[in-house]
């Protein structure tokens, strides 16, 4: 089975779907609309591969986008390092937490997508044994891979919504009377699925992009780290999280430099643990990787700049001023992450800027007005990022960490068609997970050693002292190292810093002062509460 390199059969899924049903999709034959019977499907060993490929596909699709115009809004928006791209006025539900309620569409889509992932896994698990001709190793490995994805989906759900329905079997008839399982019980299931996955997946899969033991270790280390903060923490959670993360880091050591790590020509380097794959083939790319659209403004409205395939388009969010100020002078992650110069891809109408000239510049320290006036190109000082200049609402050093030259210029409701691998797990985060777990254990010395190593890779030579290490230090380091890669909202929630740091550093949230401890859980989508007839109860603070 090639993971997402070619489409196979598509399985109809959902919490209230009927039993296994497989049809030949237009990815195989656009003119063939006939269905295979359940009996025929179960007599074909390839059916198992098709079910597993679909698990990967639905997980990838629901990661790269929630819906056609909805990208990562429940992961980075409304945190200390990402805010909405607008002047500091008005209100917003997700970023500013003003009137965040159970009818919010993003929450509905995210909930549905995670349960679609779970449903795909449950379909595979409940039918795996009945598919004829599947050799034992293929069966066991595939089941283990599927459990990894189910654990991941439940981890996302329980952290966002708290108590949730714990559905572990394929729905074979209409059902509405679901109830919410306590968070502690959900965590027990997540850990159990990951333990099974760790025992069953390959150590080094023969196909790049398949789940490995280190991918499972990485997710399990984050799950245990998160549980370690909770009232139902299990003794040894921090210790095992550190041990797992250290094992992963040993197997996936840091790349030689941060610049080489994010180089599009070096995507599959030693540090990468798990990636979703896209490629350029129309049969497999799907919506495409969308990461290259992160944190960019409408640069094409300025002289010398045009819509094109180099800088591409953004999706309406931006780093906060706090993030732009986070980098020390010798931190190489700054210039590897942010683009401070935009070069012209067309001549300006007045002829002062030619193709290849500087068209926009963002100095790290403010220029005087006389220096700005002396330049033919646009210069934006840091204090002007959030001020409408008559051309765009906001303008700031654009993200280049996920550059994908050649990807088409599209809007957020169109397929992005990014071809880069989407790196979901890497050694840099494993290093930070281990450091945070050591901090939780009170072993600041070991945490400092790991942080010194990570910062040293970025060119910072000053060692971290044990006395420097606290949770804010680690969160700052996670921001510099992992912005755009991991779920910042979950990081802040896990560490008890969501309210404090967002109100301190997100200018729009600070303006509205609506964020409170109630927002550590998000509301259950109202349609789910209504469809259940009330058996699914709403989170208390949203009733």
């Amino acid at each position: 089975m090639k993971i997402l390199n070619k489409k196979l059969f598509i399985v109809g899924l959902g919490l209230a779907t009927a039993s296994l049903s497989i049809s030949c999709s237009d990815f195989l034959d656009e003119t063939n609309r006939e269905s295979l019977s359940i009996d025929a499907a179960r007599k074909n060993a390839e059916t198992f591969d098709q079910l597993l490929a679909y698990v990967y596909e639905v997980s990838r699709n629901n990661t790269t986008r929630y819906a056609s115009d909805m990208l990562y809004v429940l992961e980075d928006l409304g945190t200390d390092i990402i805010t909405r791209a607008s002047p500091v006025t008005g209100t917003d539900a997700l970023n500013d937490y003003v009137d965040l309620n159970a009818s919010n569409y993003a929450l509905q889509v995210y909930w549905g997508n995670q349960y679609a992932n779970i449903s795909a896994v449950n379909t595979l698990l409940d039918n795996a044994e009945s598919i004829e001709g599947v050799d034992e190793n293929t069966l066991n490995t595939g089941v283990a891979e599927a459990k990894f994805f189910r654990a991941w989906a439940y981890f996302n759900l329980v952290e966002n919504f708290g108590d949730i329905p714990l559905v572990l079997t394929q729905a074979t008839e209409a059902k509405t009377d679901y109830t919410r399982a306590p968070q502690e019980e959900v965590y027990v299931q997540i850990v159990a699925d990951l333990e099974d996955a760790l025992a069953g997946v390959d150590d080094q899969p023969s196909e790049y992009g398949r789940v490995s033991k280190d991918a499972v270790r990485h997710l399990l280390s984050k799950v245990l780290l998160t549980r370690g903060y909770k009232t139902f923490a299990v003794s040894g959670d921090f210790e095992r999280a550190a041990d797992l993360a250290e094992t992963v880091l040993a197997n996936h050591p840091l790349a030689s430099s941060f610049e080489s790590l994010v180089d599009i020509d070096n995507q599959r380097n030693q540090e990468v643990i798990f990636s979703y794959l896209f490629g350029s083939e129309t049969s497999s790319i799907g919506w495409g990787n969308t990461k290259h659209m992160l944190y960019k403004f409408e640069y094409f409205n300025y002289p010398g700049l045009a819509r094109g395939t180099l800088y591409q388009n953004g999706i309406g969010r931006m780093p906060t001023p706090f993030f732009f100020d986070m980098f020390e002078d010798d931190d190489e992650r700054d210039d590897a992450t942010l683009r401070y110069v935009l070069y012209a891809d067309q001549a300006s109408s007045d002829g002062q800027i030619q193709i290849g000239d500087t068209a926009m510049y963002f100095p790290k320290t403010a220029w005087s007005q006389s220096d700005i006036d002396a330049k033919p190109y646009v210069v934006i000082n840091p204090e002007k990022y959030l001020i409408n200049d008559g051309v765009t609402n906001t303008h700031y050093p654009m993200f280049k960490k996920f550059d994908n030259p050649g990807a088409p210029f599209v809007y957020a409701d169109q397929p992005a068609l990014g071809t880069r691998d989407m790196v979901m797990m890497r050694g840099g985060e494993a290093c930070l997970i281990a450091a945070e777990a050591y901090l939780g254990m009170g072993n600041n010395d070991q945490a400092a050693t790991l942080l010194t190593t990570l910062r040293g890779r970025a060119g910072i030579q000053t060692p971290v002292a044990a006395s420097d290490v606290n949770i804010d230090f680690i969160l700052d380091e996670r921001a510099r190292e992992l912005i755009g890669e991991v779920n910042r909202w979950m990081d802040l929630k896990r560490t008890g810093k969501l309210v404090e740091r967002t109100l301190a550093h997100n200018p729009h949230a600070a303006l509205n002062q609506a964020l409170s401890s109630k927002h550590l859980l998000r509301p259950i989508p109202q349609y789910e509460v209504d469809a259940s007839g009330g058996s699914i109860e709403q989170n208390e603070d949203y009733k």
Side-chain angles (χ1 to χ4, degrees), residues 35-197:
S35 296
L36 293 175
S37 69
I38 292 174
D39 287 342
R42 285 175 174 159
K43 290 178 180 178
N44 183 355
E46 190 179 358
T47 296
F48 182 79
D49 285 344
Q50 295 158 357
L51 288 171
L52 183 57
Y54 187 71
V55 169
Y56 275 85
E57 181 179 12
V58 71
S59 181
R60 184 192 72 168
N61 288 351
N62 291 342
T63 299
T64 195
R65 63 188 180 97
Y66 305 158
S68 61
D69 59 348
M70 196 178 302
L71 311 176
Y72 317 109
V73 292
L74 299 184
E75 298 172 30
D76 60 4
L77 192 62
T79 66
D80 55 343
I81 61 173
I82 300 296
T83 190
R84 53 187 169 95
S86 68
V88 188
T89 59
T91 63
D92 180 81
L94 291 176
N95 184 76
D96 305 2
Y97 299 88
V98 175
D99 194 28
L100 180 64
N101 59 60
S103 297
N104 185 277
Y105 183 58
L107 297 176
Q108 296 175 14
V109 173
Y110 189 82
W111 172 284
N113 284 355
Q114 299 304 317
Y115 275 110
N117 294 352
I118 291 162
S119 184
V121 173
N122 289 345
T123 299
L124 179 145
L125 296 180
D126 283 4
N127 291 279
E129 295 285 353
S130 64
I131 299 172
E132 299 176 13
V134 182
D135 71 81
E136 184 176 1
N137 182 64
T138 298
L139 179 69
N140 292 339
T141 302
V143 164
E145 291 173 60
K147 287 188 176 182
F148 166 85
F149 287 108
R150 184 168 70 178
W152 203 348
Y154 270 125
F155 184 46
N156 291 334
L157 284 167
V158 73
E159 282 304 294
N160 276 275
F161 301 103
D163 299 350
I164 51 173
L166 189 57
V167 184
L168 302 176
T169 59
Q170 179 188 12
T172 57
E173 59 184 13
K175 176 179 170 62
T176 60
D177 58 342
Y178 291 99
T179 58
R180 298 172 66 184
Q183 294 183 55
E184 182 174 5
E185 182 180 338
V186 178
Y187 263 88
V188 169
Q189 183 61 49
I190 292 170
V191 172
D193 273 349
L194 290 175
E195 297 285 15
D196 288 348

Side-chain angles (χ1 to χ4, degrees), residues 200-217:
V201 302
D202 290 338
D203 189 33
Q204 295 180 319
S206 58
E207 293 176 294
Y208 192 87
R210 293 189 76 148
V211 176
S212 67
K213 287 190 185 298
D214 279 332
V216 180
R217 290 184 184 108

Side-chain angles (χ1 to χ4, degrees), residues 214 244-254 273 427-428 430-431 434 450 453:
D214 279 332
L244 287 164
E246 289 262 38
T247 298
V248 171
L249 183 58
N251 294 335
H252 297 272
L254 302 178
I273 303 162
C431 184
L450 287 165
T453 298

